[in-house]
Amino acid sequence: MEELRLQAYAKVNLTLDVGPRRADGYHEIHSVMQTVSLADELFFSRTPRGVSVDCDSPEVPAGSGNLAGRALEILADRLPGGIRLEIRKRIPVAAGLGGGSSDAAAALKGANRLYGLGLTERELLACAAAVGSDVPFFILGGTVEARGRGELVRRLPPLPALWLVLAKPDFGVSTAEVYAGYKPCGREPRTPRLVAALEMGDREGVLHALGNDLEEVTASAYPEVGALKARLEALGALKTLMSGSGPAVYGIFPGEREARLAARELRDESVTHFVCRTVNEEETREGEQG
Ligand code: ATP
């Protein structure tokens, strides 16, 4: 294969339970993550030698500063030739939507296919964990339980399809700073409840179990987060939540029509937003057919 095009989907955290800080500085987390239809586009082509990574967003570094570049470097020894990768960025940067990690996972999958390396999912997961905590999740895609610092991943039954409006204040936040501001509050973890609801196919149970321990940290520093959630609720969201360390938030709507009507209001108010739906594992594989 000389060329390949892949979609790199964004994620939202349906739950994010944060445990105590470990000796290595990371917090132990327990989370359910879900891929959504908002996606970057990655174009791969073979070159005689070397790896080059370019991105059309000025906020995103090129080359080895790019998480996708770092992922390709990990594979460098196994590549029989070079790779040119171009990233068309659509996922907002530093928003809690996992864009960089998703690009990195797609880079690993793309290199594997471009050169027919024959790497198994297990091998891809090991490379992914060496790039970053959220990268293994994107190797699997769909609905996934994550533990450890996020790298211990397990597939869950697919979430019943949901329509979302993602909204984002016009700034990014540093994940490390948000974790540094986190104080354990002894709240009951939500992830076990969500996993049980998913295993029973209980849509109402899913909606009730959603929650994010980092939301208070980011929302107390940036009132825009709470304001956007309130706006989504006023526009008919059944449930709203911040994703990851934020500041992006999402509202779950009863269906596509309701989500698009809410989005129309946000457009008139000049709020950065995206209408999207949840994407299951099978669909993420279709996005890899290129
Ligand atoms: P996380 O929650 O995993 O920290 P995020 O969604 O909040 O992720 P990203 O959009 O992945 O944040 O970007 C975080 C930082 O990584 C940015 O400052 C950006 O410059 C850098 N970065 C490196 N490679 C990429 C990439 N391919 N796409 C986006 N950001 C990248």
Side-chain angles (χ1 to χ4, degrees), residues 46-51 75-76 78-83 115 117:
R46 285 194 190 197
T47 59
R49 71 190 69 80
V51 165
L75 285 185
R78 307 189 218 194
L79 292 174
I83 294 185
Y115 278 111
L117 302 178

Side-chain angles (χ1 to χ4, degrees), residues 20-70:
R21 214 172 134 99
R22 313 189 307 197
D24 63 4
Y26 286 99
H27 285 262
E28 189 74 21
I29 66 145
H30 195 193
S31 177
V32 175
M33 300 201 262
Q34 170 69 48
T35 37
V36 297
S37 54
L38 173 66
D40 293 342
E41 242 181 320
L42 275 67
F43 299 88
F44 298 81
S45 45
R46 285 194 190 197
T47 59
R49 71 190 69 80
V51 165
S52 75
V53 177
D54 288 298
C55 181
D56 63 356
S57 162
E59 292 173 86
V60 174
S64 58
N66 195 294
L67 285 175
R70 230 184 286 162

